[in-house]
Amino acid sequence: MTVARQRLGRAAEDLAAGRLARAGLTILERNSRVRTSEVSGEIDLVALDGSTLVFVEVKAGRAGSRAGPQRPALGVDRRKQLRLRRLARAWLATAGAVPRVASLRFDVVGVQLDGSRVVAYEHLKGAF
């Protein structure tokens, strides 16, 4: 991954974490790395929305880019959804003190940037 792509992803994650926190979610972890014998990878954000534990995938795109889907949130395809579910299951099995929750939810946040300016922000609650 290029440095520019890493910066874009980090900016989108910072923006998403801030907006979710302002919307009342408690951010429990950012860039949570999971490694088990079955799966390894990273969960962008783990948050608490009331009594719901939320696993958030953040997708970023550049305005006017011809690569990728028109809306960054659409970049979370079926394969990525299954991977995130496996990562969440592993996170739950290996995390230390997990708060008591009534339910789990998978959200996707898509952010489109033009330089440092946010062109579009999309939060899909319960995306899959």
Side-chain angles (χ1 to χ4, degrees), residues 6 11-12 14-15 19 21-23 30-31 34 37 43 48 62 71 74 83 89 91 94-96 99 105 121 125:
Q6 287 176 338
D14 289 345
L15 177 75
R19 287 199 180 183
R22 284 190 297 280
R30 291 185 60 174
N31 305 111
V34 177
S37 59
I43 301 170
L48 198 56
R62 292 217 180 273
R71 293 173 27 219
L74 298 178
R83 180 172 175 69
R89 189 172 26 253
W91 185 89
T94 60
R105 189 175 80 212
Y121 178 88
K125 287 184 177 181

Side-chain angles (χ1 to χ4, degrees), residues 98-120:
V98 178
R100 287 187 70 124
V101 296
S103 61
L104 302 176
R105 189 175 80 212
F106 292 88
D107 289 4
V108 174
V109 172
V111 179
Q112 197 166 35
L113 298 166
D114 185 4
S116 62
R117 186 174 63 92
V118 177
V119 175

